[in-house]
Amino acid sequence: DAGVTQSPTHLIKTRGQHVTLRCSPISGHKSVSWYQQVLGQGPQFIFQYYEKEERGRGNFPDRFSARQFPNYSSELNVNALLLGDSALYLCASSVRQGPYEQYFGPGTRLTVT
Amino acid sequence: GIQVEQSPPDLILQEGANSTLRCNFSDSVNNLQWFHQNPWGQLINLFYIPSGTKQNGRLSATTVATERYSLLYISSSQTTDSGVYFCAGGGSNYKLTFGKGTLLTVNP
């Protein structure tokens, strides 16, 4: 079975630009979560979506938004990029919302110059 | 929210040695996972272990939920075990809170 997939793999953007990252969950998984990992730190929770609704949000500014589609894939959008947004963005899927095992994709490495 | 503390932050071993990584959490968790992050950033699931003991080959893990800690044991370490090990805990909500990780280096 295919695991969680993310695109693109790498991305370079300029300050002030907008970026969209994409994630496809494992088949049969209905919950998708997004995490940001900066160098030297553990991943930090950004959002969780379940059945196309936002079910949780971490401590991130409104420049970060996301959505989930009917096929359970998801997009993470970041507006007005800052240098500090440079990070590895990880997507995770689980069978359903709540404390269930999460499986992570390979990530998108975003560099903001 | 839940705080997760991992120790040690760094660990250097010779191939063949055994090691124990520890994860303490500040509150009760319903979800406890151990991951190995490879050099390309992929988080590999090692264990989903909110309580009890599990083993998978040379790796095993134990979570004592009542005392709010989990241990990851690596026996007969190999160079391919090198990398960052994370534990992450979740309450009754929707998110995992990660520790800062343990950087393991296994030398030949």
Side-chain angles (χ1 to χ4, degrees):
Chain A
D1 286 342
V4 178
T5 60
Q6 292 186 243
S7 64
T9 306
H10 295 88
L11 203 52
I12 300 175
K13 290 286 190 178
T14 304
R15 276 179 301 176
Q17 287 188 317
H18 163 271
V19 69
T20 297
L21 311 181
R22 295 177 175 83
C23 170
S24 291
I26 292 171
S27 177
H29 285 195
K30 297 183 178 181
S31 178
V32 170
S33 299
W34 288 94
Y35 292 79
Q36 180 197 63
Q37 186 179 20
V38 298
L39 200 60
Q41 299 293 320
Q44 284 205 309
F45 173 77
I46 309 176
F47 286 111
Q48 187 184 75
Y49 276 76
Y50 177 68
E51 292 287 9
K52 301 183 291 295
E53 291 187 8
E54 180 182 309
R55 299 301 179 114
R57 184 184 183 112
N59 188 23
F60 281 81
D62 291 344
R63 299 184 296 107
F64 289 76
S65 63
R67 56 179 176 167
Q68 187 176 34
F69 299 99
N71 66 354
Y72 303 108
S73 66
S74 178
E75 284 183 353
L76 175 69
N77 296 283
V78 186
N79 292 324
L81 285 166
L82 304 174
L83 295 179
D85 295 331
S86 295
L88 180 66
Y89 288 85
L90 295 162
C91 172
S93 76
S94 60
V95 172
R96 45 189 180 270
Q97 179 190 1
Y100 296 98
E101 187 170 10
Q102 295 194 24
Y103 296 85
F104 283 78
T108 294
R109 194 166 297 277
L110 172 65
T111 303
V112 182
T113 62
Chain B
I2 294 170
Q3 306 295 316
V4 179
E5 186 177 316
Q6 289 188 244
S7 61
D10 300 277
L11 187 58
I12 301 175
L13 301 173
Q14 287 300 120
E15 203 167 21
N18 302 329
S19 61
T20 301
L21 282 57
R22 185 178 179 102
C23 175
N24 292 329
F25 32 97
S26 61
D27 205 345
S28 300
V29 294
N30 295 322
N31 177 358
L32 194 289
Q33 292 186 241
W34 283 95
F35 299 93
H36 177 208
Q37 189 164 42
N38 68 21
W40 299 273
Q42 173 92 54
L43 284 169
I44 308 299
N45 288 44
L46 297 178
F47 294 102
Y48 171 72
I49 187 166
S51 64
T53 297
K54 290 185 178 180
Q55 181 158 8
N56 184 4
R58 296 182 296 104
L59 273 58
S60 63
T62 295
T63 297
V64 183
T66 54
E67 297 187 22
R68 302 177 187 172
Y69 74 88
S70 184
L71 302 174
L72 177 68
Y73 305 96
I74 304 174
S75 64
S76 304
S77 57
Q78 301 175 357
T79 56
T80 52
D81 294 331
S82 295
V84 183
Y85 289 80
F86 288 104
C87 72
S92 57
N93 58 17
Y94 33 79
K95 69 175 184 178
L96 286 176
T97 299
F98 283 76
K100 292 186 176 181
T102 291
L103 175 59
L104 174 65
T105 303
V106 182
N107 292 321

